[in-house]
Amino acid sequence: MLRDYEELTEEITEITTVDGFVAACLEIKESMFFYERDLMLAAYSASLELLAVVAMLSAALKGERELEEADAEVQRLVDGLFTDLNKYQFPLDIQYVVDHFLQGAGMQTRLRMQAYGQMMRCYSAANDSVDEDLDTILQKAHQVLRQRDIDVEGKLNLMLGRAGAKMLRGARLRPMWLKVSHPRIQVVMQGLQTLMNNFRVTPYYNFPLEDLATERQKRTIVKGNIVSDLGVFRNFRQGGSGYTDFNTVLDKDKYDYFFESLFTSFEHIDVEPDDQAVDLILMILGARAVNPDIDPSFLMRLLVYCHRWVLVEVSDLILEILADLDPDDPLYFECWSLLKSFGGKELPAIRRFVRANRDSPLLPYLALFLSHGPPAKRRWNLLREMFDHYPEENEEKAQMAISIGRYGGEEAVTFLEQALESTTQRNGPYGEHLKRALERASQSIN
């Protein structure tokens, strides 16, 4: 075992030089019945990523220091390949392949490497909480993007590393995550799934892995230097069995089939959701809050399903999505229609949004939403709070005043009279809006 990770990094060194990259691609090309450039490059990346992770795993079996050394060396070699490929001018045919690698499969590999390193640290530390499943980790990964902290990359890679450690131990990735995730998360999860599929066909490992102590014990009993036989990795590049991002295999359960059907039809709209289905719907909508490229027809069907089963739990996320939507987007109307269908049960979510976003451009639209329907104390209190805490006397606040006038009633008249008296813009455009709002509120009690 002593030389395993060192021999693996030597193999990585060979295929991450310029000549090694070209030679490895030629090996893959010669094994193909029909040449397909992108498939060839995906196979190279899959082989490189598998080698890199197995090298880190072999180092982790020795100790923490060896893992850090292997991780640093793998990162250096991959970065060096990119530096060298960008540095040289190649013959036209090679340059064509290099350019596509740098912009496609290679760029994806580079994005994944930090997450792979974190995955091996999480696996080695055995800190994958038993109370946290893979879906929850990916939900939190999307929340990291929504927070927009300074160290987004570091926090995101740590979260994706935790997801990878779960997958090494056998956690199953739901197909929906490869369709709804933010592209930055999706590219890593696609790589992780390809990696797990390749682990399954790698003879040396019984996948899924057990904890690090057990894996060490297995290899102590076996004795010998089995990993140093690199044939499995070379066979991968020479046409042996293996997976790339182009032939992803995913196991599915009843929830996966349910959400898969929503991408094409309303086949299961009358199937009542259980708690697990509701949780997954919330996760999908949470992903939409940071990923505007999710299939809009799928989201439309999902909103119709939420309407059908009165899933008030989605209200907070619907408001977040609305805040980022253009009013001309068809999804905008569907979100408002869904909130309206909740018949007042959405008000706590609106209150939370208002208090967390005192100057949001969505507030005038929320005021208009609240102004419709029969008078109700909760709606009136929320309208008043929204207006009182809006920081500027501008067009948006004037629109809220008009909605208060539309709501009407004696309380609205008194409130608008006080607002008109306290403003310094009584004779300006803002003041004129207040006067019109007051006039409309007065008409409602006459």
Side-chain angles (χ1 to χ4, degrees), residues 268-301:
H268 296 111
I269 195 167
D270 289 327
V271 176
E272 184 175 2
D274 59 15
D275 290 342
Q276 177 71 36
V278 173
D279 287 344
L280 292 172
I281 288 170
L282 291 172
M283 291 177 186
I284 291 171
L285 294 175
R288 173 56 183 79
V290 293
N291 180 22
D293 295 326
I294 297 177
D295 184 348
S297 62
F298 166 69
L299 287 172
M300 289 285 196
R301 295 187 192 97

Side-chain angles (χ1 to χ4, degrees), residues 195-207:
L195 188 64
M196 300 308 143
N197 289 339
N198 284 323
F199 261 114
R200 286 189 176 92
V201 296
T202 302
Y204 180 65
Y205 293 100
N206 292 322
F207 184 83

Side-chain angles (χ1 to χ4, degrees), residues 258 262 266 268-274 277 281 300-311 338:
F258 168 75
L262 279 178
F266 287 110
H268 296 111
I269 195 167
D270 289 327
V271 176
E272 184 175 2
D274 59 15
I281 288 170
M300 289 285 196
R301 295 187 192 97
L302 192 61
L303 294 182
V304 171
Y305 184 79
C306 293
H307 187 167
R308 167 71 177 83
W309 292 103
V310 197
L311 299 185
L338 178 59

